Every structure is written in structure tokens, then in C-alpha cells.
């Protein structure tokens, strides 16, 4: 198992999620050994965040138990996530925390702005943030009229006005 885990960690970027998914079918002793080895290779916070990204609360709890850092700092967020019954809402709450920057980066790199707008329609603040990110993306591609419209959706009137001026030129 250490060889396989090392292989996943040597990938660029490290494939932590796949390594964690390998732990599920293992026996308790094998899983404990593999997780200890993984925590030796990587920072506990990195492994914790990857486990959160998989939305596997038992796995997240296992990571907190095996990391050398006290689980106290994780317990509040774990209790909050356990209280949420819907997996979709758990994913959303995870994105609300420390992973939001990663979500925005992925959205920008993969041009997933429209999908993100659909998903975040119920949350006014996230919707506005995504509109501004999308408007910035459109402005960077010189699609000024579309950027202005998207900025308006996000209540970014200054950016919208600037984009309208650019569209007219």
C-alpha cells in the first residue's frame, strides 16, 4: 500500500482524493497503517481538506483521529456537517469554508461560471461573487457588453458602467 500511496502523492498535483478512496475497502489495521503513512507524506490539514472534499464524514473523522494535531479544532466543523442531512448541502457548506478559493479557481480555469450561477442561485452573496468573477472573465476576453450585463446581475454597478463604456468604444 505505501508504494501506491507514494505514487498518488508524486503526481502533479498530488492525487490525495484517490489515495483516500483506496482506504475504504481496507481492513481497520491496514487502513490505519495506510492513513498513518499518508499523514507522514502530507500535512494533516491537506489530507483533512481532501477528505472533506470527498464528503465522507467517517473518513474525515478518521483523519482527525490519526493526525497528530488535536481534533478539537475540527470538531465544530464536523458537528456542523453532521447536522446537515443532505449530501448536496454538505458539499455546499464545505465550499463555503476554506475550499471556496479552490472552487473559484476551478470555476475560472474550467469556465464553469454558468453552472456555478445556476447552483448558487439561492445564495445572494455567492451569486453576486460568482457574477463578479464571471464579469471579470468576460472583461478579460473583451466581451464588454456581456461583462456589463453579468456585473449588473451581481450588483457591481461600477464595474458594469466601466464595461458599458468599453463596449461602446
Amino acid at each position: 500500500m505505501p508504494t501506491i500511496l507514494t505514487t498518488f502523492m508524486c503526481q502533479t498535483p498530488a492525487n490525495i482524493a484517490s489515495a483516500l478512496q483506496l482506504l475504504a475497502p481496507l481492513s481497520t489495521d491496514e487502513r490505519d497503517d495506510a492513513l498513518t503513512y499518508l499523514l507522514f507524506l502530507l500535512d494533516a490539514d491537506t489530507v483533512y481538506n481532501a477528505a472533506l472534499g470527498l464528503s465522507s464524514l467517517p473518513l474525515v473523522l478518521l483523519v482527525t483521529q490519526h493526525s497528530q494535531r488535536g481534533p478539537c479544532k475540527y470538531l465544530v466543523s464536523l458537528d456542523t456537517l453532521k447536522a446537515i442531512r443532505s449530501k448536496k448541502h454538505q458539499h455546499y457548506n464545505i465550499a463555503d469554508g476554506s475550499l471556496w478559493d479552490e472552487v473559484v479557481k476551478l470555476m475560472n480555469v474550467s469556465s464553469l461560471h454558468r453552472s456555478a450561477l445556476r447552483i448558487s442561485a439561492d445564495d445572494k452573496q455567492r451569486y453576486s461573487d460568482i457574477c463578479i468573477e464571471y464579469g471579470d472573465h468576460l472583461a478579460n476576453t473583451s466581451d464588454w457588453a456581456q461583462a456589463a450585463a453579468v456585473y449588473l446581475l451581481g450588483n457591481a454597478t461600477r464595474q458594469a458602467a466601466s464595461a458599458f463604456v468599453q463596449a461602446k468604444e
Side-chain angles (χ1 to χ4, degrees):
M1 183 56 69
T3 307
I4 296 170
L5 293 175
T6 303
T7 302
F8 280 124
M9 296 310 105
C10 288
Q11 294 176 354
T12 305
N15 195 348
I16 304 166
S18 294
L20 288 170
Q21 288 172 335
L22 282 178
L23 302 180
L26 299 177
S27 70
T28 303
D29 290 338
E30 290 174 322
R31 185 176 51 236
D32 290 346
D33 290 343
L35 188 54
T36 301
Y37 182 74
L38 192 59
L39 288 168
F40 170 74
L41 294 175
L42 294 169
D43 177 55
D45 287 335
T46 305
V47 177
Y48 175 80
N49 286 335
L52 270 178
L54 294 173
S55 292
S56 171
L57 293 181
L59 183 59
V60 173
L61 187 58
L62 191 65
V63 170
T64 60
Q65 290 170 345
H66 280 81
S67 67
Q68 296 198 359
R69 298 174 185 206
C72 295
K73 75 179 212 176
Y74 303 117
L75 287 179
V76 173
S77 61
L78 285 176
D79 287 341
T80 302
L81 288 173
K82 280 183 185 178
I84 301 169
R85 293 184 182 181
S86 165
K87 287 280 187 195
K88 187 175 183 180
H89 287 102
Q90 285 177 355
H91 280 290
Y92 186 74
N93 280 7
I94 291 167
D96 245 359
S98 62
L99 298 179
W100 176 248
D101 292 337
E102 294 298 319
V103 169
V104 170
K105 189 185 309 180
L106 177 65
M107 178 183 67
N108 288 330
V109 169
S110 303
S111 297
L112 297 171
H113 301 92
R114 290 181 183 187
S115 297
L117 286 171
R118 272 194 310 277
I119 292 169
S120 66
D122 294 337
D123 184 338
K124 290 181 183 180
Q125 183 59 50
R126 288 289 182 224
Y127 187 82
S128 176
D129 292 345
I130 293 169
C131 284
I132 292 168
E133 287 289 331
Y134 190 24
D136 291 346
H137 170 75
L138 292 167
N140 288 335
T141 61
S142 298
D143 190 354
W144 298 108
Q146 190 68 22
V150 173
Y151 281 136
L152 283 176
L153 287 174
N155 295 321
T157 52
R158 253 186 275 155
Q159 291 102 318
S162 177
F164 276 126
V165 168
Q166 291 289 338
K168 188 171 182 176
E169 291 178 0

